[in-house]
Amino acid sequence: MSQTIHAPLQSPLHQPRQKIGRAQWMTLIAAFLGWMFDGMEMGIFPLVGRPALRDMLGLNNEADVSRWFGYAIAVFLIGAALGGVAFGWLGDRIGRVRAMTFSVLVYSLFTGACYFATEPWHLAVLRFLAALGMGGEWSLGVALVMESWPGMARPLLAGAIGAASNVGFLLIGLLTHQFPVDETNWRWVMLAGAAPALLTFFIRIFVPESEQWKTAVEQRESSPLSEVFGPELRKSTLLAIAFGSIALIGTWGSVQWIPTWIDKSVGGAQPEAKSVVGMLAAAGAIVGCFAGALLGGRIGRRPVYFGLCLLSLGLCTYLFRYLTEYDTQLLVVVFLVGAVTAAFYGWLPLYLPELFPTRVRATGQGLSFNFGRILAAIGAMATGQLVAVFNNDYARAGATISLVYIAGLILIWFAPETKGKPLPD
């Protein structure tokens, strides 16, 4: 029998005390593991993509490698966007737990199938299919946890969920640092990506369905997609899309290219370099996700988002424009860049659930966060093109894409402040 403790009253809202027991812990563990494995899957390609493409295209064909690298990231992001909408809708229709089970199975099996890719387009197609499941898992896990735990715990939970993916990034970085990936051995990393399929058994056996969702669908039938774009929620949906897009464009159009930039800069002389910067960025991101969520809970959602955009803009500009040597200073700044640019992923699972009622929450979150991946896909393709325009200068391309944070400095002041308010019913 699990021990039960009581959460304090949510002053000044004075909500009833809620119990924290086995069901809540199983929900949190499943969501954390699901998003951690998501992070591992997402972290695989920045480390494996260049060796894989060099193996398929030829070791000296850098222009085509960067172009296909951009394409592969782009189709992955588009797949995640479509998966976020599809699985979010499914979660609002058949329940969070069943939909999350399907999403984990999809991203695991198709990542493992990349082992068999022999052409760049094979890799792109399989990454697209895997991304469908990854995009869905985020919105479902966030909705399930936020609906199951007391409101006072939301900032800490948001930080944990945001940090989970970066734990996955760190783990894959540690693994590939211990066993450096090159053109001869990249396939085994892809094959290992099928392992999270085992998580589906845990989810189905131990994780209960959201009681808040069951109550909401009994009280009122909803049409999730039409409702999130209806007159009551349209503004919130569009702003949420913008906030997710800014963070994702910065990550996928700029920060995710850091290992590739470093790999090219050291000219293959230090094959472990890309793993080192990947691990440092992931370690910084774990810290940043907790900081973004906890500061958002204490200071307020709007000022924290503004601060994260300002810091991200400044640090990315400094990294890409002024640091040219692979040395201690660069590694420290990579850690800081990882922290501030990933802090959005602690802030987003705190803020997005507060914009949508329960009956459409998974759809609203999935659409808002993952639609940003389509714009991020455009950013990733633009980075690939900019690399070519800038004579294979990854740093200059990354600095250009980082200007997207300027939009966040402005847009956040048009959004509602939700600090201290309960999740909408």
Side-chain angles (χ1 to χ4, degrees), residues 20-21 37-38 55 78 80 86 98 119 136 163 212 217 231 236 253-254 263 299 323 334 338 344 361 387 421:
I20 302 175
F37 286 127
D38 260 12
D55 179 33
I78 292 170
R98 281 194 289 172
E119 298 287 342
Q212 190 172 339
V217 295
S236 293
S254 177
D263 190 34
I299 299 172
L323 299 183
V334 166
F344 293 103
R361 182 166 293 125
V387 168
K421 298 179 181 180

Side-chain angles (χ1 to χ4, degrees), residues 167-189:
V167 172
F169 272 103
L170 181 59
L171 290 174
I172 199 67
L174 287 169
L175 185 63
T176 54
H177 177 66
Q178 189 69 29
F179 305 99
V181 179
D182 58 30
E183 291 76 17
T184 66
N185 64 359
W186 61 269
R187 293 181 185 275
W188 70 265
V189 183

Side-chain angles (χ1 to χ4, degrees), residues 7 31 134 145 153 257 267 324 342 344 378 407:
M134 292 184 206
V145 170
W257 291 71
T324 58
F344 293 103
I378 297 172

Side-chain angles (χ1 to χ4, degrees), residues 207-270:
V207 180
E209 186 54 80
S210 165
E211 293 296 330
Q212 190 172 339
W213 170 78
K214 289 194 283 189
T215 300
V217 295
E218 287 173 0
Q219 292 176 346
R220 176 178 171 181
E221 186 176 352
S222 67
S223 299
L225 281 174
S226 60
E227 192 166 346
V228 295
F229 284 112
E232 293 183 8
L233 295 176
R234 186 183 301 118
K235 179 183 176 182
S236 293
T237 300
L238 294 176
L239 284 170
I241 288 171
F243 300 145
S245 299
I246 289 163
L248 288 160
I249 290 171
T251 295
W252 291 96
S254 177
V255 178
Q256 284 290 311
W257 291 71
I258 293 175
T260 302
W261 166 44
I262 296 299
D263 190 34
K264 178 179 180 295
S265 298
V266 299
Q270 294 174 279

Side-chain angles (χ1 to χ4, degrees), residues 19-312:
K19 296 180 179 181
I20 302 175
R22 180 179 179 275
Q24 283 78 19
W25 286 112
M26 291 297 102
T27 296
L28 179 59
I29 290 170
F32 185 91
L33 290 176
W35 195 228
M36 183 191 78
F37 286 127
D38 260 12
M40 291 183 68
E41 310 283 354
M42 287 185 286
I44 284 175
F45 194 74
L47 297 173
V48 174
R50 187 166 179 265
L53 291 169
R54 280 163 59 87
D55 179 33
M56 295 176 186
L57 293 168
L59 300 181
N60 298 315
N61 198 351
E62 193 65 38
D64 281 346
V65 166
S66 63
R67 180 167 57 87
W68 273 103
F69 192 92
Y71 290 159
I73 290 178
V75 297
F76 169 85
L77 293 168
I78 292 170
L82 296 175
V85 175
F87 280 102
W89 176 88
L90 194 64
D92 284 330
R93 302 297 293 180
I94 69 170
R96 286 41 169 141
V97 173
R98 281 194 289 172
M100 188 162 67
T101 302
F102 295 141
S103 71
V104 172
L105 194 61
V106 166
Y107 78 65
S108 302
L109 296 182
F110 283 112
T111 297
C114 290
Y115 174 89
F116 301 101
T118 57
E119 298 287 342
W121 70 267
H122 295 168
L123 203 60
V125 169
L126 290 169
R127 290 287 289 166
F128 170 83
L129 295 171
L132 294 172
M134 292 184 206
E137 201 282 332
W138 186 89
S139 59
L140 296 164
V142 170
L144 188 59
V145 170
M146 294 302 176
E147 291 167 4
S148 301
W149 281 72
M152 286 292 285
R154 287 207 303 267
L156 185 59
L157 294 170
I161 293 171
S165 65
N166 293 292
V167 172
F169 272 103
L170 181 59
L171 290 174
I172 199 67
L174 287 169
L175 185 63
T176 54
H177 177 66
Q178 189 69 29
F179 305 99
V181 179
D182 58 30
E183 291 76 17
T184 66
N185 64 359
W186 61 269
R187 293 181 185 275
W188 70 265
V189 183
M190 292 297 194
L191 189 61
L198 299 174
L199 178 61
T200 59
F201 296 102
F202 174 85
I203 295 172
R204 292 300 296 157
I205 294 171
F206 295 107
V207 180
E209 186 54 80
S210 165
E211 293 296 330
Q212 190 172 339
W213 170 78
K214 289 194 283 189
T215 300
V217 295
E218 287 173 0
Q219 292 176 346
R220 176 178 171 181
E221 186 176 352
S222 67
S223 299
L225 281 174
S226 60
E227 192 166 346
V228 295
F229 284 112
E232 293 183 8
L233 295 176
R234 186 183 301 118
K235 179 183 176 182
S236 293
T237 300
L238 294 176
L239 284 170
I241 288 171
F243 300 145
S245 299
I246 289 163
L248 288 160
I249 290 171
T251 295
W252 291 96
S254 177
V255 178
Q256 284 290 311
W257 291 71
I258 293 175
T260 302
W261 166 44
I262 296 299
D263 190 34
K264 178 179 180 295
S265 298
V266 299
Q270 294 174 279
E272 76 283 357
K274 62 180 181 292
S275 296
V276 171
V277 296
M279 287 189 293
L280 283 171
I286 293 169
V287 175
C289 285
F290 279 105
L294 294 174
L295 288 172
R298 180 173 292 275
I299 299 172
R301 285 35 164 179
R302 295 195 298 179
V304 168
Y305 189 88
F306 178 88
L308 293 178
C309 286
L310 191 62
L311 286 170
S312 296

